[in-house]
Amino acid sequence: MNLRILLASSELFPYSKTGGLADMVAALAKSLARSGQRVGVVTPLYAGLPRKFPEIQRANLHLALPLGPETVTAEVWSTSPAERLTVYFIDQPAFYQRACLYVENGVEYADNAERFVFLSKCVARLAQELPWQPQILHVHDWHVALSALFVRSERDRAGQGSHAPATCLTIHNVAFQGSYPAQKYALTNLPWDYFTPDGAEFYGRLNALKAGICHADFVTTVSPRYAREITTETFGCGLDAVLRARQAKLVGILNGVDYDEWDPERDACLPQRFSSADLTGKAANKAALQKELGLPVVASTPLFGTISRLTDQKGMDIELAALEEMLPAGFQFVLLGSGASDFEQAYQVLARRYPRQVAARTGYDHPLAHRIEGGCDFYLMPSKFEPCGLNQMYSLRYGTIPVVRATGGLDDSVVDIVEDRGRANGIKFQEFSAGALAKAIRKALVLYAEPGLLDWYRRNAMAVDCSWGRSTERYAAVYRRLAGR
Ligand code: ADP
């Protein structure tokens, strides 16, 4: 059965991206369309997009929606990057033509509630008015989670005659909930009947993610282990009880990797392409990366890398402390990251103290991210929690052995030698501490000193299939169930 699915996300690669959400929605959309489904994606028209992507054109579609006491208008633009796939951009210049997506100079935009309640309304409206009549509306994260509530209210209003689609919400990170003072609920223009403990209200505030969890017909998250974790107090960020109560409609589906973007055999960002059959290109990439970073070009020095948002979630504090402890062992390390300025400074200081061993690049640099994956020997990802994580899966493909904390999607996608000797492709540690990470780095150094074993790990890693096929099939199964309700 071919399905008609409308996805929605506040960021979408290659048009906008701050993290894995943009990659995931883009890859899922492409993969669903490839498998024969009719797919649309709704996302904001951020500053400069029509100039950078001239194929994005006005769609001759106008929206005028109430937002509290006002009426806000938007124009829809669109492009069709693949067969059966259309991306719809919401053009509301006052809301979306900004220097950044959500946060500027470390400060959240003061009108984020307005910006994303409006986006959620546009999504719900398009879901019901697009001529190809989506059967499923699949929204991603808190920014568009309220769409599920808008669809629910429409169903309640229209009763049996409703053409509203079935709804699915994917939680990419339960730590981000879109929590605002209760008076912001007025922006929804819905009756206050929905502002209840089993709806949009959470401890007296509007909580967009909770509204989505309570009102979507189905909820998914991005790895099986994270689906279990978020029902516990430690990982649920306050919503664990809400999620426990809905466990029957919650599943974890591991994200895949878009191998059109991340494949060392085809990667245009790499100085040299390579495959598991011939790793000489990987050695050349390492030398080029060492040179680019101003580090001594020494093939025998192990090179570790991290590409990350610099936040507590990603374990940057334990990484800094573990590097302090382990750098005297003589390896090199490169960081590419942006985020909290104290972390940015701490890595810069480390790079100044160890100029022959550490390079720190702050800011967002997509091609450098590819070169780091291509050139490093090991990839460090010591997250406190990690819903899915993409870089460890990119690392596997690039033969860059992931060293990860066993949490969420990291645990689901990396195999340690103690779990399975034959399939070992990475190093895992359990305790969230600098000491445990330092020990894992020590294991990596031991592995590096055994070229035969390292080669075995690399081949195992590169052979893992993280393509979207299987995950897409799981989502399609969810959609089919919902469409057949
Ligand atoms: P999250 O979504 O929590 O940030 P993921 O591992 O799921 O983490 O996805 C992060 C994505 O963002 C990856 O594609 C990674 O390469 C990319 N990324 C993160 N920081 C940077 C950066 N400073 N420059 C380039 N790419 C980055």
Side-chain angles (χ1 to χ4, degrees):
M1 175 172 64
N2 285 349
L3 296 160
R4 302 182 304 277
I5 308 138
L6 186 65
L7 308 179
S9 168
S10 59
E11 51 188 270
L12 182 70
F13 184 81
Y15 311 107
S16 55
K17 169 169 164 175
T18 68
L21 169 66
D23 287 351
M24 184 279 191
V25 180
L28 174 63
K30 200 159 71 173
S31 177
L32 283 167
R34 237 178 234 169
S35 74
Q37 327 298 337
R38 173 75 175 95
V39 184
V41 190
V42 187
T43 195
L45 189 82
Y46 291 114
L49 281 183
R51 212 173 337 107
K52 207 165 149 211
F53 299 92
E55 65 277 17
I56 302 175
Q57 298 282 323
R58 291 171 199 276
N60 196 20
L61 199 61
H62 298 265
L63 300 169
L65 298 165
L67 191 66
E70 294 171 36
T71 295
V72 179
T73 58
E75 189 177 355
V76 182
W77 297 55
S78 70
T79 182
S80 190
E83 213 179 319
R84 291 182 294 275
L85 173 60
T86 311
V87 182
Y88 301 93
F89 297 89
I90 305 299
D91 182 13
Q92 208 315 306
F95 279 163
Y96 307 125
Q97 308 261 322
R98 309 247 171 117
C100 302
L101 268 55
Y102 321 114
V103 180
E104 200 170 324
N105 300 324
V107 184
E108 260 208 46
Y109 289 127
D111 59 351
N112 273 351
E114 284 77 1
R115 298 171 77 216
F116 294 112
V117 171
F118 182 71
L119 182 64
S120 302
K121 286 191 175 187
C122 293
V123 168
R125 177 61 67 88
L126 286 179
Q128 292 176 79
E129 292 196 354
L130 284 173
W132 52 274
Q133 297 183 330
Q135 298 159 287
I136 308 290
L137 172 61
H138 183 179
V139 297
H140 295 260
D141 269 356
W142 75 264
H143 316 88
V144 283
L146 281 168
S147 315
L149 169 58
F150 293 126
V151 169
R152 169 60 56 99
S153 75
E154 177 53 26
R155 256 189 238 155
D156 291 347
R157 197 189 58 76
Q160 292 293 342
S162 161
H163 293 294
T167 54
C168 176
L169 164 73
T170 292
I171 302 171
H172 292 253
N173 192 336
V174 79
F176 300 107
Q177 300 178 1
S179 169
Y180 294 100
Q183 55 272 29
K184 294 286 183 191
Y185 181 77
L187 296 167
T188 65
N189 300 87
L190 292 177
W192 283 84
D193 311 2
Y194 294 106
F195 192 74
T196 59
D198 59 358
E201 186 262 353
F202 192 56
Y203 289 98
R205 291 169 67 85
L206 166 64
N207 186 308
L209 189 68
K210 177 167 176 272
I213 294 168
C214 295
H215 290 293
D217 298 310
F218 205 76
V219 180
T220 74
T221 185
V222 287
S223 69
R225 178 159 172 171
Y226 192 62
R228 295 193 298 277
E229 287 175 343
I230 56 178
T231 61
T232 67
E233 211 179 317
T234 315
F235 292 94
C237 299
L239 292 182
D240 44 293
V242 175
L243 288 158
R244 271 198 303 280
R246 286 162 184 78
Q247 228 157 354
K249 63 167 198 180
L250 169 70
V251 299
I253 301 174
L254 195 69
N255 285 341
V257 168
D258 182 352
Y259 288 134
D260 291 345
E261 279 296 321
W262 294 93
D263 178 359
E265 292 186 47
R266 292 181 282 163
D267 191 332
C269 298
L270 294 184
Q272 282 217 27
R273 306 198 186 144
F274 62 94
S275 68
S276 58
D278 180 3
L279 286 168
T280 48
K282 181 150 181 83
N285 287 320
K286 176 175 173 179
L289 183 64
Q290 288 171 318
K291 184 156 182 261
E292 174 182 355
L293 300 170
L295 298 173
V297 182
V298 182
S300 59
T301 304
L303 176 56
F304 290 70
T306 291
I307 304 158
S308 187
R309 290 188 289 117
L310 301 180
T311 64
D312 287 333
Q313 178 204 330
K314 300 291 182 179
M316 296 296 112
D317 45 352
I318 68 166
E319 182 168 285
L320 281 158
L323 288 170
E324 282 281 358
E325 184 182 335
M326 292 302 298
L327 277 166
F331 57 90
Q332 294 173 339
F333 171 78
V334 51
L335 170 91
L336 170 60
S338 61
S341 58
D342 47 344
F343 282 134
E344 291 191 3
Q345 279 159 20
Y347 280 101
Q348 300 287 5
V349 168
L350 197 68
R352 279 200 292 279
R353 286 181 38 226
Y354 293 90
R356 295 177 62 78
Q357 283 180 267
V358 177
R361 296 286 179 274
T362 48
Y364 194 89
D365 189 335
H366 186 71
L368 179 57
H370 282 251
R371 294 196 294 277
I372 290 175
E373 287 292 2
C376 284
D377 299 302
F378 296 98
Y379 188 86
L380 296 183
M381 203 156 170
S383 307
K384 188 180 268 174
F385 66 93
E386 193 58 72
C388 176
L390 289 172
N391 274 107
Q392 83 282 8
M393 294 196 276
Y394 301 155
S395 299
L396 289 173
R397 190 57 154 197
Y398 286 70
T400 303
I401 303 305
V403 178
V404 304
R405 193 168 99 76
T407 183
L410 298 176
D411 195 32
D412 286 338
S413 57
V414 174
V415 182
D416 189 278
I417 197 159
V418 300
E419 291 171 293
D420 187 335
R421 248 195 123 66
R423 293 192 306 128
N425 59 26
I427 295 168
K428 284 187 193 172
F429 63 99
Q430 301 289 333
E431 188 186 280
F432 184 74
S433 72
L437 173 57
K439 202 167 151 196
I441 293 175
R442 207 167 291 130
K443 283 187 189 171
L445 297 175
V446 170
L447 177 60
Y448 194 77
E450 299 269 350
L453 194 57
L454 178 65
D455 198 55
W456 168 250
Y457 268 66
R458 279 205 175 128
R459 281 174 210 287
N460 281 348
M462 296 177 82
V464 174
D465 179 6
C466 299
S467 60
W468 262 98
R470 211 173 319 145
S471 314
T472 305
E473 199 28 63
R474 297 223 167 101
Y475 279 108
V478 169
Y479 301 152
R480 266 185 228 110
R481 220 166 58 220
L482 289 174
R485 281 176 322 156

